Amino acid sequence: MTAAGRVIVFGSLNADITFEVHRLPQAGETVVAGGVRRASGGKGGNQAYAAARTSTRPVLMAGAVGDDEAGVSLRDDLSTAGVDIGLVRVVEGVSGMAMIAVDEEGHNVIVVAPGANHVWPEVPALPLEADDVVVLQLEVPLDVAAQVARQAVARGARVVLNAAPVTPGADGLLADVDVLVVNEVEATDLLGLSTIDVEAVAAAARERALAVVVTLGSDGALVADAEGRMTRVPSFPADAVDTVGAGDAFVGAFAAALAGGADLVAAARRGAAAGSLTVTVRGARHPRLHPLLVDDLLDSQPDPPGRTMS
Ligand code: RIB
């Protein structure tokens, strides 16, 4: 247990436009959407939202939006959710934007236009403290994320990297990371794993001396501490309608739990609960996410027996 700290999310804010389609189009094909939704998103914004809405920890968002209408909504929506947006810069130009297509089975494709997320004439000096948990993703330039990670290390803050989307050179960040959170595709790309299993993830964590969490969707998550001790954390039963943002909800809730003093496995269980709740609604942010909703779900499935594997 460490003292309780804040969650500082440094990363992306996107205006999401989601097309609900019967099936995802193939290259060269046009499909007609049955509906379209606009909402605030971006992996960073979604993670800050989940951190604030699953905990009582102070949550700060650091990022950039454009001086357009989307930039106003992106900030307002986070502020309404209880996130401190004082570190969100407004830059000239357009906010980040994501075009998302979701089919009837909940599968999705996402295309992101970074906009303001890539406008960093200089990296801000963040007001970090030793008890803080800094959360990074890779929808901002890699060198900017790397400098923020170095600032965190210099202040003694912990760094959680959600290496999404995997970016060439991202492995260069790992020396400054305490916990890496990746899905199976990202684990394969970033860690060079040909199979995602207990032995492979344990070895990857040991070799790099960092904790690794591999999220497996409805199969839960594999959690390795920096010595390679493994725990499988199950997911929670959920009627999934849309998996967009589920990984972000996991990361946000996970980071908030770490900031509150939870250990790696307890934090991952909270992350899994937030992810399971998020897939039950359309959109990347569960509108009724609340610490008590997460608590109830966790209570409904007490600590599973025999979960630690090595
Ligand atoms: O992880 C989901 C998010 O990815 C969406 O909100 C979209 O903005 C993209 O960044």
Side-chain angles (χ1 to χ4, degrees):
M1 281 271 204
T2 55
R6 306 172 302 173
V7 178
I8 321 264
V9 180
F10 182 89
S12 58
L13 294 152
N14 294 329
D16 289 356
I17 303 183
T18 303
F19 297 89
E20 290 166 1
V21 293
H22 173 56
R23 62 178 175 77
L24 301 177
Q26 295 173 355
E29 190 188 15
T30 301
V31 295
V32 175
V36 63
R37 287 177 276 121
R38 287 171 188 270
S40 290
K43 295 187 193 304
N46 297 340
Q47 291 168 5
Y49 175 90
R53 295 289 293 261
T54 60
S55 77
T56 54
R57 303 314 318 145
V59 179
L60 288 74
M61 177 80 210
V65 295
D67 56 358
D68 52 3
E69 221 174 284
V72 175
S73 310
L74 284 165
R75 282 178 298 148
D76 284 353
D77 287 350
L78 277 187
S79 184
T80 303
V83 176
D84 181 336
I85 56 162
L87 298 172
V88 176
R89 291 163 49 244
V90 180
V91 303
E92 204 179 314
V94 294
S95 297
M97 183 181 289
M99 190 201 72
I100 303 172
V102 181
D103 73 11
E104 284 175 349
E105 287 167 15
H107 301 128
N108 64 71
V109 289
I110 304 180
V111 181
V112 173
N117 296 305
H118 274 206
V119 181
W120 292 99
E122 59 186 30
V123 181
L126 298 180
L128 303 176
E129 294 169 11
D131 293 330
D132 293 338
V133 172
V134 175
V135 182
L136 300 168
Q137 343 70 40
L138 299 179
E139 287 183 329
V140 292
L142 195 58
D143 61 317
V144 175
Q147 289 186 55
V148 171
R150 281 197 291 276
Q151 283 183 30
V153 171
R155 295 290 173 86
R158 284 175 289 171
V159 177
V160 174
L161 171 65
N162 174 219
V166 171
T167 308
D171 51 340
L173 246 76
L174 297 183
D176 290 327
V177 168
D178 294 282
V179 188
L180 172 69
V181 184
V182 278
N183 65 21
E184 288 176 89
V185 174
E186 293 149 4
T188 304
D189 285 0
L190 183 63
L191 301 173
L193 305 184
S194 48
T195 0
I196 307 296
D197 59 20
V198 169
E199 290 75 26
V201 176
R206 260 194 315 268
E207 273 164 31
R208 293 165 181 83
L210 87 163
V212 176
V213 177
V214 181
T215 55
L216 305 170
S218 57
D219 287 330
L222 290 175
V223 179
D225 71 12
E227 281 85 44
R229 283 184 293 263
M230 293 296 302
T231 303
R232 183 182 283 275
V233 171
S235 69
F236 295 79
D239 289 330
V241 295
D242 182 355
T243 59
V244 173
D248 301 334
F250 182 106
V251 171
F254 172 77
L258 284 185
D263 66 25
L264 208 54
V265 172
R269 285 197 81 223
R270 226 170 153 79
S276 295
L277 288 165
T278 299
V279 301
T280 63
V281 296
R282 297 193 196 287
R285 300 180 187 180
H286 189 303
R288 293 178 306 285
L289 203 56
H290 190 278
L292 293 178
L293 199 58
V294 176
D295 292 346
D296 284 350
L297 192 55
L298 288 167
D299 290 347
S300 74
Q301 190 176 310
D303 235 2
R307 58 186 192 171
T308 299
M309 294 172 287
S310 62

